[in-house]
Amino acid sequence: MKCANVLLIFALVQGERSPQPGEVYRHAFLRAGTDSDELLHPASYLQQVSDEASEFMNVSVPKLRHEFETVQKDAEADLNKKLSHPDDGPTTDRGKIVGGIACCSITMLVLLVGLTTCLEQRKKERPKLQLIAEESPGAKVRKLAHTMKPEELEKELKTSLGEVSLPSVGPSTGLSPTQQLKNLEIYGRNCMTPPAKPNVWWLLLCQVFGGVFNSLLWFCVVVEVGLASFMGADESDIVTPSILAAVIVASGWLQWYTEQQAESMMRSLQQLQGSEEVLTFRTGSALTLPVEELLPGDVVQLEAGMTVPADIRILDATDGSQVDNSALTGESVAEVRSKEAVAVQDGQPAPLLIEATNILFSGTGVVQGKLLGVIIATGDKTLLGQIAQGVQQALPRSSLELQIEHFVHMIAVTATFTGLLSLVANLLSPDNLSMEKVILNSSTTFFTFVPEGLMPTVTFSLMISSRKMVKQQVLVRRIDAIETLGCVNVLCSDKTGTLTSGKMTVTDLAVVEKSGGLKSMTMAEAVKTSSEGLQRLARAGLLNSSTQEKSSKQVSGSPTEVAIVLASQEVTGESAENVRKKELEIFQIPFNSASKWMLTAHSPATSSSPQREVRLIIKGAPERVLELCELTKEEAGNAARVYERFMASGKRVICVAEHTFKTSHDFVFKGTGPADANFPMHGYDLCGFFAIEDPPKTGVLASIAKMKLAGCTTIMVTGDHPETAKAIAKRIGIAEKTDSKSQYQVITGAMIESRGILPGELRIQQLAENPDLAPDCADFWRSAVQEATVFARVSPLNKQSIVQAYKSFSGSIVAMTGDGVNDAPALREADVGIAMGIRGAEVAKGAADIVLLDDDLCSVALGMEQGRLCAENLRKSILYTMCSKVPQAIPTFTQLLGMPLALTTVQVILIDIGTDIWTAIAYAAQPAEQSLMEQPPRHPRKDRIVNSGMLLYSFCYMGLLQCVLCWLAFFQMPGMLDISQRRLPAGEPVVHTKEQQMLVQAGTTMYYWTLVAGQVGASYVTTTTRQSLLDYGFPNPWLNGFIVLEIILALAVIYWPPLQVPFGTQALSLHHLLIGASSIFAILVVEELRKLILRQSEVPIREAIPQPQQSKKEVTTSSE
């Protein structure tokens, strides 16, 4: 006899109620099984049941009652013996010990990491006591050395500088032995202090056990392990916490591994300091000392090719000595150095030390000449050391970290509230649930709302986006910087090498024609022109030069001379070597800062005349060279107008003139200028002008316009001259073509030093919060961030202050580009630090979040678009993930109504980890729904990735829709209504027979399958916010592929026996499988109707608002 008949007959025997026709039909169906031919008419079946009931009452009642009582006792015994059953989980003594140790270990690690992180954060936020500059040893000389005379330096540094000059040095020059010991004690060795590096394994622990979200997940694991170990509940066996723990550890390890860096910023800084030994004079003795042994007060001698080992005040130098400061300033032009002290006017502040021409900075290189100087700062006290200290500051928290934390807080509140509500409801339940059941239900409800797959989803999504950005020449070092880059609304960009090519180039020439007038032409026009005046100017440029030619295209020397030689070779069609062989150089007066010109004398290589013809060529600053030329007043005025027009466009102008005279072969040239020369120094003929600049890169203008359309303002931050920077800014669209009346349009480093330096220990962030602390300084920075387009002649620490000001006074999300060591502190301070990959220093790359592999600003625009796409896809991914939370949580509450549990905990984890997580990751490859670079950037503090609107959509709309579909499918299963409608005595379990367990298992399988199908529908409808899927299509092959795999996995869980047991599923009939799958189409139809209504309601608004024009050059984002 079938179980259904037995139950119905027993109900008749007990006399509880009369059978209903529908119930009789259902029992007939159950009795028939799957064979439709056995299905009986209800009336016939009722008669058959009555006959069997009569026989049953007379013969088998006692036996049946005994069997029923036995089944009931067995069910109760089964519930009571779960704790001791070895197959139900670690409920043995050994299992309890292991579970207890696991719970305690996890709790201790989470508390340890959390408390340690909190203490470290407080320590970092605590204001550091900084010594006032005047109180620290040697502070005055480090600040004012460029304005001091040797006598003052000697007094401050306690050294002897009595007879210091090249080529000889006096016998008492340098530090005495006693003073050497004192200075060593005061200043220490010439080494920079390396940063304290945290242990890599501790960093891994922080990634795995640190953070609010991970703490929430570990709490779920601890509860699950506790339930499995001590309460033996079926639904929370050891499989569930094991899967969850594995996901947490894998996600943390993946992020830790991704962010591990091979290079060391401090090691790169120390390499810049130099390692060769230096010629040092102590008490007149010449010593060759290692860099580490140098002390303030030591007198050292440097030559071309050497790296400067410390900050040095020049005491003597050969004419034309030059240094390469590009490692610090980022500027490609070699700078002239001299020994003269900088004059300071009464009542005026001293010029900036970094602009002084008599100072050598540690880490820079000597390009030309020989220099003698006294060391004024070593180690951490050098400018390079100060930069190193700035690099060591803690990284600011990324916007993604803040938003994930905000989302976690929202989820934690939601999950805690729901869990407590479930706890109270279960305690007040009339079913008199056991404490084990109460804790199980409430904990299940709690972690149902916790998106276990969130961190793996975020990590994998960012990694996929970073790989796509590499194809666009953008290397991501901190993967969470991708999302922040899309939020940037202020881009502080270095000029040299980023906005410009970083290579000095001749762009224009002006040539004296036969008529005496000057003709201006571009370099492209000059190549196509063949005139006597142009050839004369180009040959003069090749002859009057100190460059060395390795090949026709490889020339070494100062950047200005290299540019002139390369341009002249292109005009003449000859190499410099060939031209110089025809006209040999017989005399030279090198360039110096006083005369501002260079003179060379040349004679033909083959000359048989008794007198040789000498060609004098002079090249230099236009105003100085024109003084030596023979020009009428009108010609001089025309020449001045030409070179002033070039200068007004930000170009460097070099004037060339020549004079020919005859002399004897044994004539000896003497003199260094017009005052003492024994050869003509006046009456020169003007040849023309070279206009040289570091030109804007190709595509920069379009990229800046694109970013401006996207709501991102580009600010130029450079160490170059203000007028040059302003001219370039106008050409590339950073500054307006017409000059602004605002005094803050171009801000110099001198303005920052005089008006923007904070008093005492005050920080810019504190000043922004309380401007009354320094009103004038606050007004300056407030006006600067609102009106400035160019910051020129700024020091490395000024750049850091500029970034802080934009973040604090305007609340901007700031990106900073840079390539030099000087940019490292600002790169670290910015929300997104962007370094140049080709010409960038290793220190800058180490401090940056993103590296441009092609040094092209166009890549920043591409990266910005990819960042916005990443954020949009991440938002859709989280939206999709949260859609399943309500249908996952509701079954725990419906138990209070006498319904069986429709979805087990392990099935919840299976949906979150086994299916949803992979589909959510596939969103990283989703193409943009609309043009992202024609919208203003999303501010992460005002428009978060996850907001209340998304939660309403996920929980109150899509979640409820899926919930209704799941319950409708659940009650389609045979016997579910009967089990749910039965009224049970207090304390009696909802399911107590194996047959009922089988029915409920089939119901949970149906609920699980319908929810999986509903998530398939949700995955497609969340790919767009307004656009119809009929128009948008299904363009993401990754999403389509993962959905197919998700369905295959669900079917395997339902139909493959090895997976049926751990996940508690049963095979479904084709009919029920199709019923569950219909939820896909139901969700698609409902969402299409919603989006149609939304689009129709927006039409009048869209027609009333003028649409932005499409940019001419679209920046495309690869969706591969």
Side-chain angles (χ1 to χ4, degrees):
M1 184 176 291
K2 301 292 184 181
C3 178
N5 278 14
V6 172
L7 292 175
L8 182 59
I9 293 169
F10 186 76
L12 295 174
V13 171
Q14 296 288 73
E16 293 179 354
R17 56 186 170 86
S18 300
Q20 302 298 320
E23 185 178 15
V24 172
Y25 186 84
R26 284 197 302 275
H27 281 272
F29 176 79
L30 287 172
R31 186 174 186 274
T34 57
D35 191 352
S36 59
D37 295 336
E38 296 183 22
L39 186 62
L40 303 177
H41 191 275
S44 302
Y45 181 67
L46 185 58
Q47 182 63 41
Q48 182 179 344
V49 170
S50 299
D51 295 340
E52 292 178 359
S54 299
E55 181 182 354
F56 184 79
M57 290 174 63
N58 296 326
V59 178
S60 305
V61 168
K63 184 178 178 181
L64 180 60
R65 284 181 177 173
H66 176 71
E67 289 180 356
F68 184 81
E69 290 174 359
T70 302
V71 170
Q72 187 173 15
K73 288 179 180 180
D74 290 343
E76 292 175 358
D78 184 59
L79 291 174
N80 294 329
K81 292 180 180 179
K82 283 179 181 179
L83 292 175
S84 59
H85 199 291
D87 295 332
D88 286 341
T91 54
T92 61
D93 290 339
R94 183 179 178 183
K96 291 179 181 179
I97 294 173
V98 173
I101 292 175
C103 291
C104 292
S105 300
I106 292 172
T107 304
M108 292 297 294
L109 285 170
V110 170
L111 290 176
L112 175 64
V113 172
L115 290 175
T116 305
T117 305
C118 183
L119 291 175
E120 289 179 352
Q121 190 66 30
R122 286 190 175 185
K123 186 177 179 181
K124 291 174 183 177
E125 292 176 354
R126 188 181 302 139
K128 296 180 180 179
L129 295 178
Q130 300 174 350
L131 292 173
I132 300 176
E134 286 72 20
E135 295 178 355
S136 59
K140 181 179 179 181
V141 71
R142 288 196 299 271
K143 186 177 181 180
L144 300 174
H146 57 306
T147 65
M148 293 180 175
K149 296 181 179 180
E151 297 80 17
E152 297 175 272
L153 291 168
E154 190 176 47
K155 180 180 177 181
E156 290 290 335
L157 295 171
K158 305 295 190 296
T159 187
S160 175
L161 305 176
E163 301 177 13
V164 177
S165 62
L166 290 171
S168 61
V169 177
S172 61
T173 300
L175 293 170
S176 64
T178 304
Q179 194 61 42
Q180 292 173 30
L181 295 176
K182 290 183 179 179
N183 284 9
L184 180 61
E185 182 179 355
I186 294 172
Y187 302 106
R189 293 171 63 83
N190 184 25
C191 300
M192 288 182 291
T193 306
K197 291 186 177 181
N199 185 278
V200 292
W201 302 112
W202 171 253
L203 293 177
L204 177 58
L205 276 180
C206 292
Q207 287 287 1
V208 174
F209 293 96
V212 179
F213 189 70
N214 278 3
S215 301
L216 194 63
L217 293 178
W218 283 120
F219 173 74
C220 294
V221 173
V222 169
V223 172
E224 292 266 358
V225 172
L227 289 171
S229 301
F230 301 101
M231 297 182 182
D234 284 339
E235 291 86 356
S236 67
D237 58 14
I238 205 65
V239 175
T240 301
S242 298
I243 294 174
L244 188 53
V247 169
I248 302 170
V249 173
S251 177
W253 178 86
L254 187 62
Q255 190 164 359
W256 169 81
Y257 179 78
T258 302
E259 294 185 354
Q260 285 303 300
Q261 305 165 7
E263 66 273 10
S264 168
M265 290 179 288
M266 182 54 61
R267 184 164 59 249
S268 300
L269 283 165
Q270 290 173 338
Q271 288 172 352
L272 281 173
Q273 195 176 13
S275 58
E276 66 260 54
E277 295 183 336
V278 180
L279 180 61
T280 309
F281 299 93
R282 290 181 174 177
T283 60
S285 301
L287 307 172
T288 303
L289 299 178
V291 170
E292 295 81 7
E293 296 183 14
L294 297 178
L295 298 168
D298 274 333
V299 176
V300 296
Q301 179 177 308
L302 301 176
E303 298 180 354
M306 295 182 67
T307 300
V308 180
D311 286 358
I312 298 172
R313 165 66 156 85
I314 299 173
L315 301 174
D316 196 12
T318 57
D319 288 340
S321 295
Q322 295 183 350
V323 294
D324 179 12
N325 280 349
S326 59
L328 286 178
T329 64
E331 301 305 319
S332 57
V333 180
E335 300 179 11
V336 177
R337 286 295 182 260
S338 62
K339 65 178 181 179
E340 288 78 14
V342 177
V344 181
Q345 299 180 359
D346 294 337
Q348 297 294 324
L352 296 178
L353 184 70
I354 197 171
E355 295 183 4
T357 59
N358 57 7
I359 299 293
L360 301 176
F361 295 103
S362 177
T364 60
V366 179
V367 175
Q368 181 175 308
K370 184 181 293 185
L371 304 105
L372 193 68
V374 59
I375 294 177
I376 60 174
T378 57
D380 293 336
K381 300 300 182 181
T382 62
L383 180 59
L384 189 66
Q386 295 178 41
I387 293 173
Q389 296 301 314
V391 170
Q392 292 181 37
Q393 292 183 1
L395 286 168
R397 300 181 67 189
S398 68
S399 65
L400 184 60
E401 287 181 274
L402 297 174
Q403 291 179 86
I404 292 296
E405 183 176 307
H406 169 74
F407 173 58
V408 168
H409 288 161
M410 295 174 66
I411 291 301
V413 171
T414 304
T416 303
F417 174 77
T418 310
L420 291 175
L421 184 63
S422 175
L423 178 65
V424 173
N426 278 271
L427 288 174
L428 299 178
S429 172
D431 292 337
N432 192 24
L433 299 175
S434 63
M435 185 54 63
E436 292 88 346
K437 196 67 175 179
V438 170
I439 295 176
L440 173 63
N441 287 347
S442 57
S443 62
T444 301
T445 305
F446 173 83
F447 65 72
T448 292
F449 275 89
V450 177
E452 297 89 349
L454 175 63
M455 292 314 297
T457 298
V458 172
T459 303
F460 277 110
S461 298
L462 293 176
M463 289 183 65
I464 292 171
S465 296
S466 69
R467 289 182 179 275
K468 292 169 65 177
M469 293 177 74
V470 168
K471 296 179 180 179
Q472 299 165 358
Q473 302 301 306
V474 180
L475 177 65
V476 180
R477 297 185 66 252
R478 278 182 65 196
I479 59 174
D480 53 0
I482 299 174
E483 186 273 338
T484 309
L485 183 61
C487 301
V488 167
N489 59 356
V490 172
L491 173 63
C492 295
S493 177
D494 188 30
K495 179 183 76 70
T496 305
T498 307
L499 299 174
T500 61
S501 64
K503 181 181 178 181
M504 300 300 290
T505 306
V506 174
T507 58
D508 299 89
L509 301 94
V511 182
V512 177
E513 296 181 306
K514 291 182 179 180
S515 60
L518 279 167
K519 181 181 180 181
S520 299
M521 63 186 73
T522 64
M523 187 62 199
E525 294 172 342
V527 173
K528 300 176 183 179
T529 302
S530 178
S531 68
E532 183 179 342
L534 180 60
Q535 291 295 319
R536 184 176 67 161
L537 174 64
R539 294 182 70 83
L542 294 173
L543 293 171
N544 185 285
S545 177
S546 58
T547 59
Q548 301 295 321
E549 185 181 28
K550 298 178 181 178
S551 66
S552 60
K553 294 185 178 180
Q554 291 186 345
V555 181
S556 61
S558 72
T560 299
E561 288 199 320
V562 168
I564 291 175
V565 168
L566 291 176
S568 299
Q569 286 183 153
E570 198 171 353
V571 170
T572 61
E574 292 187 73
S575 67
E577 184 180 4
N578 290 337
V579 174
R580 291 169 186 172
K581 285 180 179 179
K582 296 175 183 178
E583 296 187 57
L584 301 178
E585 181 180 309
I586 57 177
F587 180 72
Q588 180 186 120
I589 300 178
F591 178 89
N592 64 74
S593 57
S595 63
K596 294 188 177 181
W597 48 255
M598 171 184 179
L599 182 142
T600 55
H602 303 268
S603 178
T606 55
S607 176
S608 57
S609 61
Q611 285 190 319
R612 63 177 176 180
E613 186 178 272
V614 177
R615 183 183 183 187
L616 298 172
I617 303 174
I618 190 168
K619 176 188 71 181
E623 63 275 12
R624 296 298 181 89
V625 174
L626 290 177
E627 292 175 354
L628 307 178
C629 293
E630 186 176 359
L631 299 171
T632 64
K633 187 175 181 179
E634 182 180 357
E635 289 173 340
N638 289 336
R641 282 191 291 272
V642 169
Y643 77 75
E644 285 174 358
R645 187 178 72 250
F646 286 149
M647 288 181 174
S649 60
K651 299 177 182 179
R652 187 176 186 182
V653 181
I654 299 297
C655 181
V656 180
E658 67 175 13
H659 178 74
T660 303
F661 74 102
K662 292 185 178 182
T663 184
S664 61
H665 287 276
D666 58 354
F667 180 79
V668 178
F669 287 85
K670 296 181 181 179
T672 59
D676 60 352
N678 64 347
F679 51 87
M681 286 298 299
H682 290 89
Y684 281 67
D685 298 325
L686 178 64
C687 296
F689 301 96
F690 290 99
I692 308 168
E693 71 170 352
D694 182 6
K697 281 186 175 179
T698 304
V700 164
L701 182 62
S703 296
I704 291 175
K706 188 73 175 179
M707 287 187 285
K708 183 180 291 186
L709 183 65
C712 179
T713 302
T714 305
I715 306 295
M716 181 186 291
V717 182
T718 179
D720 208 346
H721 191 276
E723 290 302 321
T724 303
K726 184 178 178 180
I728 294 291
K730 288 182 177 180
R731 288 175 58 187
I732 61 179
I734 290 179
E736 299 294 333
K737 296 292 184 182
T738 56
D739 288 333
S740 172
K741 296 181 179 179
S742 171
Q743 60 176 320
Y744 295 102
Q745 184 184 22
V746 178
I747 292 180
T748 63
M751 294 172 65
I752 295 175
E753 293 291 333
S754 61
R755 301 179 58 186
I757 297 298
L758 304 178
E761 302 171 7
L762 190 63
R763 299 177 181 178
I764 288 183
Q765 183 179 1
Q766 296 170 328
L767 181 63
E769 294 171 354
N770 189 2
D772 294 335
L773 295 174
D776 293 340
C777 185
D779 291 340
F780 169 79
W781 282 117
R782 190 180 297 108
S783 299
V785 300
Q786 290 176 353
E787 302 176 27
T789 56
V790 175
F791 291 86
R793 288 295 190 203
V794 293
S795 69
L797 298 181
N798 290 156
K799 292 185 176 183
Q800 194 173 13
S801 299
I802 292 167
V803 173
Q804 292 172 349
Y806 273 104
K807 293 172 64 176
S808 301
F809 280 93
S810 65
S812 300
I813 305 300
V814 183
M816 175 76 189
T817 69
D819 53 11
V821 177
N822 63 315
D823 299 318
L827 291 173
R828 178 58 66 93
E829 184 69 38
D831 295 294
V832 182
I834 305 172
M836 302 297 111
I838 298 175
R839 67 190 306 272
E842 290 301 313
V843 180
K845 296 177 188 177
D849 305 303
I850 289 173
V851 178
L852 301 183
L853 300 178
D854 56 0
D855 289 10
D856 195 346
L857 192 70
C858 300
S859 299
V860 177
L862 291 169
M864 192 176 294
E865 184 171 10
Q866 184 62 44
R868 293 188 178 189
L869 178 60
C870 176
E872 181 181 279
N873 288 341
L874 194 57
R875 172 180 282 186
K876 292 177 179 179
S877 175
I878 295 174
L879 184 68
Y880 157 77
T881 304
M882 299 305 295
C883 286
S884 63
K885 297 307 171 185
V886 170
Q888 287 176 353
I890 289 297
T892 62
F893 288 97
T894 57
Q895 283 186 292
L896 305 180
L897 303 177
M899 297 183 184
L901 185 63
L903 192 69
T904 64
T905 304
V906 71
Q907 289 171 350
V908 170
I909 299 296
L910 176 62
I911 292 173
D912 286 348
I913 306 300
T915 58
D916 281 1
I917 183 174
W918 307 110
T919 308
I921 290 171
Y923 278 85
Q926 197 70 24
E929 183 180 354
Q930 51 192 333
S931 178
L932 298 174
M933 294 298 283
E934 293 182 2
Q935 303 174 15
R938 178 183 58 82
H939 199 292
R941 300 182 189 93
K942 298 175 183 177
D943 182 15
R944 302 182 187 274
I945 286 183
V946 182
N947 49 41
S948 57
M950 288 179 60
L951 295 184
L952 287 173
Y953 177 93
S954 300
F955 294 159
C956 300
Y957 168 59
M958 186 57 65
L960 288 179
L961 177 59
Q962 289 196 58
C963 192
V964 170
L965 294 172
C966 288
W967 281 111
L968 288 175
F970 179 79
F971 286 116
Q972 288 293 318
M973 299 303 292
M976 287 298 100
L977 281 175
D978 290 337
I979 296 175
S980 302
Q981 290 175 355
R982 288 192 310 119
R983 295 182 180 178
L984 302 172
E988 184 176 339
V990 176
V991 179
H992 53 72
T993 68
K994 291 185 178 180
E995 287 77 6
Q996 288 175 338
Q997 289 177 2
M998 295 296 290
L999 291 174
V1000 171
Q1001 198 172 63
T1004 58
T1005 305
M1006 186 63 170
Y1007 194 100
Y1008 162 76
W1009 166 246
T1010 307
L1011 182 52
V1012 170
Q1015 281 295 89
V1016 171
S1019 66
Y1020 281 119
V1021 299
T1022 52
T1023 56
T1024 66
T1025 54
R1026 291 172 176 79
Q1027 191 174 356
S1028 171
L1029 281 176
L1030 299 176
D1031 298 330
Y1032 182 74
F1034 306 95
N1036 187 351
W1038 287 99
L1039 180 62
N1040 300 332
F1042 277 125
I1043 285 176
V1044 171
L1045 293 178
E1046 178 179 332
I1047 294 173
I1048 292 173
L1049 176 61
L1051 294 176
V1053 168
I1054 294 172
Y1055 292 102
W1056 194 30
L1059 293 180
Q1060 287 178 333
V1061 176
F1063 293 107
T1065 59
Q1066 280 188 24
L1068 298 176
S1069 66
L1070 179 60
H1071 172 70
H1072 293 132
L1073 199 68
L1074 294 176
I1075 290 176
S1078 64
S1079 62
I1080 299 176
F1081 306 101
I1083 290 174
L1084 290 174
V1085 171
V1086 171
E1087 264 293 275
E1088 283 297 303
L1089 290 175
R1090 185 190 69 85
K1091 291 175 182 177
L1092 176 62
I1093 296 172
L1094 186 62
R1095 290 194 302 272
Q1096 290 178 343
S1097 64
E1098 288 182 345
V1099 169
I1101 300 176
R1102 196 159 49 237
E1103 291 176 351
I1105 300 176
Q1107 298 298 307
Q1109 295 181 352
Q1110 297 286 334
S1111 58
K1112 293 181 179 179
K1113 181 180 179 181
E1114 291 292 336
V1115 181
T1116 59
T1117 302
S1118 173
S1119 61
E1120 297 178 3

